[in-house]
Amino acid sequence: MNAIAKAIDTLNEVLGRVIAPLIAIITLVVLYDIALRFFIGRPSDWAFDITKMLFGA
């Protein structure tokens, strides 16, 4: 039983290390889109699509 728990823990750690950079990229894309809305008054055409695709990943 302990080996199964260690395997699950290792899998969770690996997936967390892969997914964490995606969260950072999503945050940067959203901040860029908010800045465009604030300064230019028009959001980018691609930011929503990129964010949706990264959430799907």
Side-chain angles (χ1 to χ4, degrees), residues 35-54:
L36 280 180
R37 286 178 192 216
F38 183 74
F39 292 115
I40 299 175
R42 182 177 175 271
S44 64
D45 295 333
W46 53 268
F48 177 71
D49 294 330
I50 294 295
T51 305
K52 189 170 55 172
M53 286 185 244
L54 288 172

Side-chain angles (χ1 to χ4, degrees), residues 9-21:
D9 193 34
T10 303
L11 178 65
N12 284 337
E13 186 174 342
V14 168
L15 288 176
R17 290 180 188 264
V18 170
I19 292 172

